[in-house]
Amino acid sequence: MNREDSEKIAYGNATLENRKSLTLTGVSNIISFDESSAILDSQYAVISVDGEDLQIMKMDMDSGEVVITGKINVLAYSDKKQGAKRLGSIFKGGRRA
């Protein structure tokens, strides 16, 4: 990703509609995804989504837009330092905060 692309997706928004559709902008990477959770990366935060029957309906890494549908139970933002600590505990089998 070049600097111009990085600047296009530097800031992000989250729009949650009826806990069934989540539109995120500013996403630079999908770290992990399954039907019950997603971990996404942006320039300033790690974004965690927990729910049921989650599906990625749209993923445009050029614009940084991701649309997730399903039953959204939790949407959490962690700054990069906190996110890295949480990811470490998740991948080591630790309990989620």
Side-chain angles (χ1 to χ4, degrees):
M1 178 180 304
N2 63 37
R3 180 184 164 163
E4 191 174 295
D5 290 338
S6 178
E7 288 175 359
K8 276 197 291 189
I9 62 173
Y11 297 100
N13 291 304
T15 304
L16 181 60
E17 298 177 33
N18 298 319
R19 291 182 56 192
K20 294 180 182 178
S21 179
L22 174 64
T23 301
L24 299 167
T25 60
V27 175
S28 58
N29 188 29
I30 296 176
I31 297 169
S32 72
F33 183 87
D34 63 31
E35 63 184 30
S36 64
S37 68
I39 301 174
L40 305 102
D41 194 23
S42 71
Q43 184 172 354
Y44 298 107
V46 174
I47 305 159
S48 300
V49 180
D50 291 329
E52 301 168 27
D53 301 319
L54 300 179
Q55 296 182 337
I56 295 177
M57 299 306 291
K58 179 178 182 181
M59 179 175 63
D60 185 343
M61 291 293 102
D62 290 332
S63 68
E65 183 177 5
V66 174
V67 177
I68 298 173
T69 61
K71 182 179 179 188
I72 314 288
N73 295 324
V74 177
L75 172 62
Y77 279 78
S78 301
D79 70 29
K80 287 288 189 164
K81 292 178 185 176
Q82 290 176 343
K85 290 178 188 173
R86 180 174 178 201
L87 287 176
S89 68
I90 289 170
F91 290 122
K92 290 178 186 173
R95 185 180 159 164
R96 291 187 185 186

